[in-house]
Amino acid sequence: MAETRGRTIWKWLREKLLSLPQKHFILVLAVIIGFLSGIVAVVLKNLVYFTQFLLTLGFVKDYFNILYVAYPMIGIVLTVFIMKRVLKKEPGHGIPSVLYAISRRKSTLKRHTMFSALLTSFVTVGFGGSAGLEAPTVQTTAAMGSTIAAQLKLNYKARTLLIGCAAAASLAAIFKAPVAAIIFAVEVIMIDLTTASLVPLLLASISALLTSSFFLGEDVLLHYSLRDPYQFEDTHFYILLGILTGIFSVYFNKIYQFINRILKKIKGYYRRAIFGGLLLGIIIFV
């Protein structure tokens, strides 16, 4: 009975949304995507904090810090187990999988991504794995946007726009930086920078930011304070910083690919997870 009622409500809501003009319809969906993205960010952050709390409960650093060697390995092994045995899916990357879906799968992500990325990411990060929360949040919310678009039978352009809204909203919710999130969606997701796309991206980012701030407060992930105002005569320092940052990004990618090649030589997901997890644990411990 509850299932039948749920279908009736969804059918009524779908008819109401589809009766709106296309322009207003997309704006409403952008706000919904933003709200969902904010909720996902809140849930993911709290799951990570709760896992960290459980692992460090009664933790005396001087006596139990050796556990930092084991925790990342345990988290990564658990993640592999969940992917291979529970979800029975191949472990993959977050944002690249979204880009692949846009370019090769007509902006269609598999439904299991809505919860698989959320589940595995909080286990990995909660146990101290060197991973971020932005990629799984983008992956989760992008799958939500793709699923909503599929249910409403939207075309490829609208589906891609909703995925872009999800990506922008996710980063806005995590980093409390809506402008940077919109730039990310335009550059990485490759959304056309037009009024028709800019307004939905803005609405999604703002609604995600407000939702996240309502539950988590004004606390931001990266704290900073601007002590000195910008001076024109210091411009060459900003140019130098940009050049050094570009060089470091190349270095980071090269090292990342190099370590990937080494790990791929180790046969078996679990052996690879144990080796990588122990190596990370040792670095953290040192």
Side-chain angles (χ1 to χ4, degrees):
M1 184 175 179
E3 185 178 353
T4 304
R5 185 179 300 173
R7 288 179 179 176
T8 303
I9 294 174
W10 168 250
K11 185 178 180 181
W12 176 83
L13 182 61
R14 178 181 171 182
E15 289 176 354
K16 288 294 183 182
L17 286 173
L18 290 175
S19 65
L20 292 172
Q22 179 74 12
K23 180 181 178 181
H24 298 160
F25 177 52
I26 294 297
L27 295 181
V28 172
L29 290 180
V31 174
I32 294 173
I33 291 294
F35 172 74
L36 292 175
S37 300
I39 294 296
V40 168
V42 170
V43 170
L44 187 54
K45 277 190 175 183
N46 280 289
L47 285 173
V48 170
Y49 292 150
F50 182 67
T51 304
Q52 181 186 9
F53 170 76
L54 291 179
L55 293 177
T56 56
L57 187 64
F59 196 97
V60 180
K61 189 184 294 185
D62 293 336
Y63 297 99
F64 299 107
N65 55 9
I66 190 66
L67 292 176
Y68 284 130
V69 176
Y71 279 161
M73 181 197 68
I74 295 172
I76 294 172
V77 170
L78 280 175
T79 298
V80 173
F81 176 80
I82 292 170
M83 291 298 298
K84 298 291 289 183
R85 299 296 182 182
V86 180
L87 301 175
K88 297 182 179 179
K89 305 294 180 183
E90 288 293 320
H93 301 283
I95 295 176
S97 66
V98 176
L99 297 178
Y100 179 83
I102 292 173
S103 61
R104 298 299 179 88
R105 295 177 54 86
K106 298 181 179 179
S107 292
T108 302
L109 281 88
K110 295 180 180 178
R111 291 188 179 183
H112 74 82
T113 311
M114 289 189 290
F115 59 88
S116 60
L118 191 69
L119 179 62
T120 55
S121 60
F122 96 80
V123 172
T124 302
V125 179
F127 274 82
S130 59
L133 298 180
E134 63 278 0
T137 309
V138 169
Q139 195 175 8
T140 300
T141 55
M144 289 181 176
S146 174
T147 302
I148 291 173
Q151 290 293 323
L152 296 173
K153 295 180 170 54
L154 300 181
N155 57 30
Y156 169 76
K157 185 177 181 179
R159 288 199 304 271
T160 305
L161 179 56
L162 287 186
I163 290 177
C165 289
S170 301
L171 296 180
I174 292 177
F175 295 110
K176 306 290 178 65
V179 176
I182 293 172
I183 294 173
F184 171 85
V186 172
E187 290 188 348
V188 179
I189 309 298
M190 294 174 290
I191 302 295
D192 294 332
L193 189 58
T194 61
T195 304
S197 61
L198 186 59
V199 175
L201 289 172
L202 182 61
L203 286 175
S205 299
I206 295 300
S207 57
L209 175 63
L210 292 175
T211 304
S212 176
S213 298
F214 178 80
F215 290 100
L216 299 177
E218 296 302 320
D219 188 32
V220 295
L221 191 63
L222 301 174
H223 297 271
Y224 72 95
S225 59
L226 187 62
R227 297 181 179 178
D228 301 310
Y230 169 74
Q231 301 290 338
F232 181 77
E233 56 267 23
D234 295 332
T235 303
H236 59 284
F237 289 117
Y238 292 93
I239 296 174
L240 180 62
L241 176 63
I243 294 172
L244 293 177
T245 304
I247 293 173
F248 179 78
S249 67
V250 174
Y251 159 79
F252 179 85
N253 279 313
K254 295 290 184 182
I255 294 296
Y256 176 80
Q257 293 167 5
F258 173 71
I259 294 175
N260 255 338
R261 288 195 296 269
I262 292 177
L263 289 177
K264 284 181 179 178
K265 294 179 180 179
I266 302 175
K267 302 299 181 182
Y269 280 109
Y270 290 105
R271 291 181 182 178
R272 203 177 300 165
I274 291 171
F275 177 80
L278 278 177
L279 184 61
L280 175 60
I282 292 170
I283 293 172
I284 292 173
F285 178 76
V286 170

